[in-house]
Amino acid sequence: MSEIADNKIIGTTPEAISRRDFIKGVIAGGVAVSSASYLFRASTLLGQSADGAERLITLNVNGQQRRADVMKQETLAWTLRHKLGLTGTKLGCDRAECGSCTVLIDDVPHYACSVLTHTVRDRKVLTIEGLASADGKLHPVQQGVVDEQGFQCAFCMPGFIMASVGFLKTNPSPTRTQLAHGISGNLCRCQDYDKILTALMRGAENMRRASHA
Ligand code: FES
Ligand code: FES
């Protein structure tokens, strides 16, 4: 469309803005608005949210003090995986149903997908990465899984192990039924429950042996 035709749509005087100029203006304005909101967002990424809440916090994870920039509504699973690089904590359902994201908070198993990170600021978080000892020796429950080759794809494995470690702190000598009940908040998509239970029972046995050694 020519400049003259443009002017017919928007106006007829030489001073009238052309349609092309109008569209250019709208696009530029849109870019300006987008940039403004981006800049605003960027400014909130530097330690404070828009409502002034502190976002740069310190967490006790696997015995270390870890600093992270955490949004008010952020879940612990998200922080662990995306801010701290601890991807051993898996996200399955992300809605407190499967247990893949299980971690220990002050020694008690929790679904990390359903805990807000800001609520664990003064607590101790333990993930699968923090189970082995500093010299690389596997935790007895991890060793039990290796011994029995208890999982198929193993996506659910970290959650099961963390749930078991938490449960065994309260009952170090469970029967098979008791352990099954203790980890019943965890699901396995491969449905390899019998082998999983055998491996975790071996882990419990390893733990008892280690504590008597
Ligand atoms: S991912 Fe947390 S319970 Fe499923
Ligand atoms: S072994 Fe595949 S999801 Fe549990």
Side-chain angles (χ1 to χ4, degrees):
M1 187 182 287
S2 71
E3 193 75 16
I4 294 171
D6 283 355
N7 285 343
K8 279 184 185 160
I9 294 169
I10 304 298
T12 52
T13 64
E15 295 79 30
I17 187 169
S18 72
R19 179 170 175 273
R20 183 169 294 139
D21 288 340
F22 176 74
I23 291 170
K24 275 188 202 160
V26 169
I27 292 171
V31 168
V33 169
S34 312
S35 303
S37 68
Y38 177 75
L39 287 173
F40 173 73
R41 190 168 168 275
S43 72
T44 68
L45 291 177
L46 299 176
Q48 269 206 336
S49 59
D51 63 5
E54 189 189 352
R55 285 184 37 170
L56 200 53
I57 60 176
T58 303
L59 299 167
N60 182 335
V61 181
N62 298 335
Q64 295 181 328
Q65 299 296 308
R66 303 287 306 266
R67 295 284 279 168
D69 182 1
V70 177
M71 291 178 290
K72 194 168 65 168
Q73 72 279 19
E74 190 168 310
T75 66
L76 181 56
W78 185 268
T79 306
L80 291 171
R81 290 180 57 82
H82 299 289
K83 304 284 177 67
L84 303 182
L86 298 171
T87 53
T89 299
K90 302 300 180 199
L91 265 179
C93 64
D94 205 7
R95 50 188 293 177
E97 285 179 358
C98 71
S100 302
C101 62
T102 304
V103 299
L104 300 191
I105 300 174
D106 290 342
D107 288 342
V108 178
H110 282 81
Y111 294 153
C113 71
S114 303
V115 172
L116 292 177
T117 306
H118 276 263
T119 66
V120 299
R121 291 168 68 165
D122 301 320
R123 303 173 73 184
K124 285 187 295 175
V125 178
L126 184 67
T127 72
I128 189 78
E129 289 90 346
L131 268 191
S133 47
D135 64 2
K137 189 168 187 297
L138 292 179
H139 184 281
V141 175
Q142 290 175 306
Q143 190 57 54
V145 169
V146 173
D147 294 343
E148 295 289 343
Q149 297 287 296
F151 292 82
Q152 282 189 38
C153 79
F155 181 85
C156 64
M157 183 178 69
F160 268 101
I161 291 177
M162 297 312 293
S164 302
V165 171
F167 177 75
L168 292 170
K169 285 177 187 290
T170 63
N171 182 356
S173 305
T175 63
R176 197 174 169 90
T177 306
Q178 286 169 334
L179 183 55
H181 190 257
I183 58 170
S184 58
N186 289 65
L187 302 177
C188 171
R189 288 182 293 196
C190 301
Q191 303 196 3
D192 208 11
Y193 293 111
D194 202 47
K195 272 177 70 185
I196 289 173
L197 203 48
T198 299
L200 298 175
M201 283 298 283
R202 171 77 83 101
E205 192 185 320
N206 290 346
M207 266 186 84
R208 288 192 296 275
R209 271 210 216 108
S211 68
H212 292 134

